[in-house]
Amino acid sequence: MPEPTPAPQPSGPTPGFVRRHWGKLTLTGLVLIPAAVFGLWAAIALGYTYSSGTRTGYLQKLSKKGWVCKTWEGEMAMATAPGVSPQMFDFTIRNDSLAEALTADMGRGRVAVRYEEHRGVPSRCFGETAYFVVGYDVIQG
């Protein structure tokens, strides 16, 4: 009896067969999607102003800080009356030219800083505080 001939095997994927790229899907799921969510969260938090206002006091300290993301961090003493312990206001400046101008005016008296508060910023890389100074005025007198 003659041996049966084997059925020919298809050389490529059969119709309806979908090749999965598990490496690319894993990379997308573990790296790209969280990075996109983080970026969107940061953009919304920095784009939406929770509150804005002005605070007046004496600039105590202004320094550039950070291991990777350098921001200007400052401290201002706000005194309500002579002899009363001042309340400290910590703030962040993201604009180098504004920080350099404020540093040049340091020691000239009281300053009024205009700020915006951004709550929910996802990382300290954008600043150590929620208060971002956007301008200032030196108060004479």
Side-chain angles (χ1 to χ4, degrees):
M1 193 168 187
E3 288 187 32
T5 58
Q9 297 293 325
S11 61
T14 58
F17 176 78
V18 178
R19 173 170 277 201
R20 301 279 183 213
H21 298 281
W22 294 110
K24 293 177 185 175
L25 290 173
T26 303
L27 177 70
T28 301
L30 294 177
V31 176
L32 298 179
I33 291 174
V37 169
F38 179 83
L40 182 63
W41 180 12
I44 290 171
L46 291 171
Y48 176 74
T49 302
Y50 178 76
S51 70
S52 61
T54 303
R55 295 204 183 185
T56 305
Y58 296 95
L59 191 61
Q60 297 290 317
K61 162 174 89 166
L62 189 61
S63 60
K64 195 167 190 174
K65 291 183 177 181
W67 292 104
V68 176
C69 305
K70 299 282 188 182
T71 57
W72 290 89
E73 303 298 327
E75 183 178 82
M76 185 171 62
M78 300 182 304
T80 56
V84 177
S85 178
Q87 180 183 3
M88 301 309 281
F89 173 62
D90 296 324
F91 58 88
T92 298
I93 301 175
R94 295 183 64 207
N95 185 334
D96 286 339
S97 61
L98 178 63
E100 290 166 3
L102 189 56
T103 301
D105 288 335
M106 192 179 234
R108 290 193 181 178
R110 293 184 346 159
V111 293
V113 295
R114 293 182 302 278
Y115 68 91
E116 295 178 348
E117 182 180 3
H118 296 277
R119 289 201 176 173
V121 178
S123 170
R124 301 202 57 85
C125 190
F126 298 104
E128 293 184 4
T129 69
Y131 301 100
F132 295 91
V133 171
V134 294
Y136 78 98
D137 295 310
V138 176
I139 298 175
Q140 302 297 329

